[in-house]
Amino acid sequence: MNQPVIVTDIARADAAAADALAEHGVATVHEAMGRTGLVGPDIRPVQDGVRIAGTAVTILQAPGDNLMIHAAVEQCRDGDVLVIATTSPSTDGAFGDLFATALKARGVRGMITTGGVRDIADLREMDFPVWSRAVHSQGTVKATPGSVNVPIVVDGAVVNPGDVVIADDDGIVVVPRLQAEAVVAAAEARVAKEAADRDAYGSGRELSLDRKGLRPLLADLGVKYVTQAEYDGGGR
């Protein structure tokens, strides 16, 4: 870890853009960004049916130590999402209901961590969404310096403070702060296209093979249509 710091005046993505991205969800936003920004599948929700989006307040902390979460609470404000990474792998339960209580009072929309969480029943009851690598009751200490609001890596995705983080049942995606409004427009265009596709498929008017022009591709790839008799007779 470099010199431990707490950055107090981060620039955040536009709040309206973050709210708009929440409407579209992780899969749509990921596709709209050209299939970039996706956090790996090891970070999973501890609740079902919840979607959030907000601006990232980041923490880089030592494994088995939650000192920097205490420090980060002060830097959080309405519309943020707390995002935590550890300097080496850890599943210790560094986050629980007391932290969630403090963050919820400041308008924080949820928390994402490469580590572990505990007090899961309480977190669900208080409606504070969490995504984590593990659920683990192992306690932690408060002894090691770390940093707040510096770039971190969360299961393969770079998260900079102030980026938009979207999280739902499908996972987590990160939208760079300066791209947020452009990604909103791209996501809206994708939603409109998918709505037209859904109508065509639902009505039975078209197959995706035809609507997406995939028949010529199958032919170019050497895929043949044969009858069962031709297949059984070696007519492949």
Side-chain angles (χ1 to χ4, degrees), residues 3-229:
Q3 172 66 43
V5 296
I6 298 173
V7 183
T8 62
D9 57 345
I10 63 170
R12 288 170 167 84
D14 179 71
D19 290 342
L21 289 168
E23 297 180 10
H24 299 307
V26 170
T28 295
V29 172
H30 169 58
E31 295 284 356
M33 283 202 302
R35 298 182 181 174
T36 61
L38 197 63
V39 171
D42 289 341
I43 313 299
R44 301 299 305 151
V46 303
Q47 64 285 309
D48 294 324
V50 175
R51 177 184 295 161
I52 63 168
T55 43
V57 168
T58 63
I59 300 175
L60 184 61
Q61 65 184 17
D65 194 307
N66 68 5
L67 174 64
M68 300 314 297
I69 304 179
H70 289 275
V73 171
E74 184 180 23
Q75 304 306 318
C76 293
R77 72 185 195 192
D78 187 52
D80 285 339
V81 173
L82 189 65
V83 187
I84 304 170
T86 54
T87 54
S88 61
S90 175
T91 60
D92 295 344
F95 186 95
D97 71 303
L98 290 178
F99 278 134
T101 299
L103 292 172
K104 194 169 184 179
R106 300 181 77 86
V108 174
R109 295 175 175 177
M111 191 278 296
I112 296 163
T113 179
T114 63
V117 296
R118 60 187 188 179
D119 304 329
I120 298 304
D122 295 324
L123 293 174
R124 291 171 179 159
E125 184 176 356
M126 64 190 296
D127 194 26
F128 188 83
V130 168
W131 286 254
S132 71
R133 187 182 302 278
V135 174
H136 196 186
S137 291
Q138 176 64 49
T140 57
V141 300
K142 302 166 183 61
T144 314
S147 292
V148 176
N149 284 331
V150 298
I152 61 174
V153 177
V154 178
D155 204 4
V158 175
V159 184
N160 287 288
D163 287 349
V164 179
V165 180
I166 304 102
D168 59 22
D169 287 345
D170 289 336
I172 304 158
V173 67
V174 183
V175 178
R177 175 175 63 87
L178 297 178
Q179 297 179 28
E181 294 183 28
V183 173
V184 170
E188 289 174 348
R190 184 174 182 84
V191 167
K193 176 183 177 300
E194 288 184 347
D197 289 343
R198 191 173 294 107
D199 178 66
Y201 304 154
S203 67
R205 293 194 310 271
E206 290 184 89
L207 296 172
S208 58
L209 274 176
D210 299 311
R211 188 170 178 82
K212 295 182 180 297
L214 298 177
R215 292 189 191 276
L217 176 60
L218 289 176
D220 290 344
L221 293 173
V223 180
K224 293 180 60 178
Y225 286 85
V226 298
T227 66
Q228 185 68 57

